Amino acid sequence: MVVGDIMYCCLKATAVVPCLLLITVLSTHGECSERSPASAGDWTIHSKIQLEGLRVELSEPVLVKKSRWYCWFPSLYRQPDGTLWAQMSAYPDIHVSEAVGYLSRSRDGGLTWDEARVVSEAGPCPVNLPDGSLIMLPYYLRQRPDGSMGSPCNVISPQGELAYRPAGVTVTGWPRPPAVSVELGTVGFVFNDQVVQGKQGEFLTTLYGTFAGDTRYSLLLAESNDGFAWRIRSTIAGPDCPLRGNEGPCEAALARLPDGRLMCLFRLDSFVPYGQAFSDDDGYTWSAPENIGPGSVQPSLAVLPGGLVALSGGRPGIYVWFNTDGTGRNWQAVDIVAAHNACRPAADRINPDVRMGWGKSVEEMKRSGDTGFTSCYTDLAVLDERTLLLIYDRVGFHWLPIPDDSEETKSVWVMRLRVDADSRGN
């Protein structure tokens, strides 16, 4: 999440979340008891959308977690054995010294989810290791006494056991000194979203943030041979990026296209198109950034074995866009909010336009009936050669906490998407 994106946050950006030493504590306080609508059976198909040369089958949404506390900005991890993990932020949209999140597991492809656990050093970026374990890269980095930059991290074993690794991860090779928050002790760059394997077997991922003295974000590519020791490989786009957007290149998605090139899509600001850059030398150099049609916050990319490219994101709204020729150039949209709202009762429906809540108090939203917004942050996971799982949120009273006298909630959902090429008329 880009902190400060919403200017009417309920807390000051100086808040600090205390360290959590135990990562297997079950979260129960303030939670709703509603079970997933599909928990008793199989996926329920809601609709089939015909695009040009492609049919997309949408399931009814399935509840991952519902809470009266903060529960949003979700991401998905998938281990090689098919186990899925939903990671959800458990604090307001502010900078903190340590990210705290909920972690819930599904062992049936997203149909049902375990009770969520609370984890410290949470982040949206997973690294799948050859032995079947998974590193949860931390969101924040810190400046260490020896001058290095890194953070502790969590590792999930192939058996689903969580371990806290104090030595964590390190990042070196910075082209310029990053900005540092003296108050929070954090570095101005964060790990962000997706990991791709390099052509030499190494791991590649993105970080975004600000260098000392800059006012716009920079987006970097980092490499690692083991998932713990990272080094900056290149700058994808810097603060001088010519594309429109006051924030600059930040939240990103990374994917390898069928022709072998790397493609990176990135946020530039709310309500503006994504930026796009390509690399044909495995991320050492990048093409000049250009805009594409879809936008605006935290993109997520998935490439299916047949070459179909899927992109999720939005604001306003939540969409999954499909590129059928594997080039990442032309996109066809599926409206996820419309599908969600067609299946759920009024209390769970999503207001797709977050702007309707900006600047309003809870009482003003109550009077106007403008509730049930979404952060529009999403993530995609590939389940098999034609199946995707999408995760997204519903945030009640916008970015504000839910008062005690309200029945509103914040919730996270998944929807299964199955695709069939050239299926018109079937």
Side-chain angles (χ1 to χ4, degrees):
M1 56 185 155
V2 170
V3 179
D5 171 52
I6 300 302
M7 57 188 297
Y8 301 99
C9 185
C10 61
L11 298 176
K12 299 295 184 182
T14 55
V16 176
V17 173
C19 177
L20 296 179
L21 298 179
L22 297 178
I23 62 173
T24 57
V25 177
L26 294 179
S27 61
T28 57
H29 181 64
E31 304 311 310
C32 300
S33 60
E34 178 180 339
R35 292 295 300 262
S36 160
S39 59
D42 200 355
W43 292 93
T44 301
I45 306 307
H46 164 254
S47 60
K48 297 178 181 179
I49 309 296
Q50 184 67 56
L51 304 176
E52 184 177 346
L54 185 73
R55 185 176 64 182
V56 183
E57 177 188 271
L58 306 178
S59 76
E60 290 189 359
V62 165
L63 180 68
V64 177
K65 180 176 175 60
K66 184 174 283 191
S67 176
R68 292 178 55 79
W69 303 108
Y70 283 97
C71 178
W72 57 344
F73 298 115
S75 55
L76 283 171
Y77 312 151
R78 186 180 184 275
Q79 291 182 280
D81 68 354
T83 299
L84 293 165
W85 298 87
Q87 191 276 142
M88 302 154 277
S89 176
Y91 62 96
D93 190 9
I94 57 174
H95 277 307
V96 295
S97 62
E98 183 175 338
V100 179
Y102 300 113
L103 190 64
S104 184
R105 177 175 58 181
S106 174
R107 289 173 283 190
D108 57 9
L111 190 62
T112 61
W113 295 86
D114 292 348
E115 185 175 8
R117 284 164 278 192
V118 177
V119 294
S120 63
E121 302 296 352
C125 196
V127 181
N128 276 305
L129 299 179
D131 66 356
S133 58
L134 182 148
I135 304 170
M136 298 170 55
L137 292 180
Y139 187 64
Y140 288 108
L141 299 171
R142 302 179 184 86
Q143 196 164 34
R144 291 174 165 168
D146 63 0
S148 65
M149 298 180 186
S151 280
C153 68
N154 297 293
V155 178
I156 305 174
S157 75
Q159 295 75 36
E161 299 168 339
L162 285 150
Y164 185 80
R165 189 177 193 266
V169 302
T170 58
V171 183
T172 60
W174 300 95
R176 296 165 52 199
V180 175
S181 169
V182 175
E183 183 174 18
L184 298 177
T186 54
V187 177
F189 278 79
V190 296
F191 279 109
N192 179 234
D193 211 31
Q194 295 177 291
V195 175
V196 170
Q197 190 169 43
K199 292 183 177 179
Q200 303 304 314
E202 74 277 30
F203 302 111
L204 303 174
T205 196
T206 57
L207 298 95
Y208 79 87
T210 53
F211 290 109
D214 286 350
T215 58
R216 292 180 90 213
Y217 288 119
S218 292
L219 178 61
L220 309 178
L221 183 75
E223 61 184 39
S224 175
N225 289 323
D226 63 0
F228 296 105
W230 293 84
R231 183 174 180 82
I232 303 302
R233 174 173 287 189
S234 64
T235 298
I236 299 170
D240 58 350
C241 176
L243 302 181
R244 180 169 61 95
N246 291 332
E247 296 167 355
C250 51
E251 298 164 348
L254 187 67
R256 188 173 298 282
L257 297 178
D259 64 7
R261 292 179 300 157
L262 291 176
M263 179 177 72
C264 185
L265 302 182
F266 51 89
R267 167 179 174 163
L268 291 149
D269 211 334
S270 287
F271 311 113
V272 301
Y274 293 128
Q276 180 185 57
F278 298 94
S279 175
D280 57 11
D281 59 5
D282 227 28
Y284 288 96
T285 62
W286 293 86
S287 64
E290 300 178 353
N291 285 125
I292 62 172
S296 64
V297 303
Q298 187 58 73
S300 179
L301 285 166
V303 181
L304 293 173
L308 179 71
V309 183
L311 161 65
S312 68
R315 187 181 291 174
I318 301 171
Y319 296 89
V320 176
W321 294 274
F322 291 94
N323 170 251
T324 56
D325 63 8
T327 65
R329 292 292 191 182
N330 301 302
W331 302 92
Q332 300 182 73
V334 173
D335 188 337
I336 299 300
V337 171
H340 176 97
N341 289 347
C343 298
R344 300 303 303 156
D348 291 334
R349 289 177 191 154
I350 294 172
N351 185 332
D353 193 350
V354 70
R355 292 170 292 190
M356 296 178 69
W358 278 6
K360 290 183 179 179
S361 67
V362 169
E363 290 304 317
E364 288 172 323
M365 282 186 270
K366 285 181 179 179
R367 288 195 297 269
S368 65
D370 293 327
T371 62
F373 297 99
T374 173
S375 72
C376 306
Y377 279 62
T378 66
D379 203 7
L380 285 169
V382 177
L383 302 187
D384 60 36
E385 64 276 3
R386 54 186 288 261
T387 308
L388 298 163
L389 193 69
L390 173 74
I391 193 167
Y392 57 97
D393 64 25
R394 178 189 183 276
V395 298
F397 289 114
H398 208 254
W399 267 235
L400 301 179
I402 296 170
D404 290 341
D405 63 352
S406 172
E407 297 299 317
E408 261 293 355
T409 58
K410 300 179 187 291
S411 52
V412 170
W413 303 80
V414 291
M415 184 181 293
R416 194 187 71 173
L417 293 79
R418 304 197 75 179
V419 297
D420 288 295
D422 300 320
S423 58
R424 186 180 298 275
N426 291 342

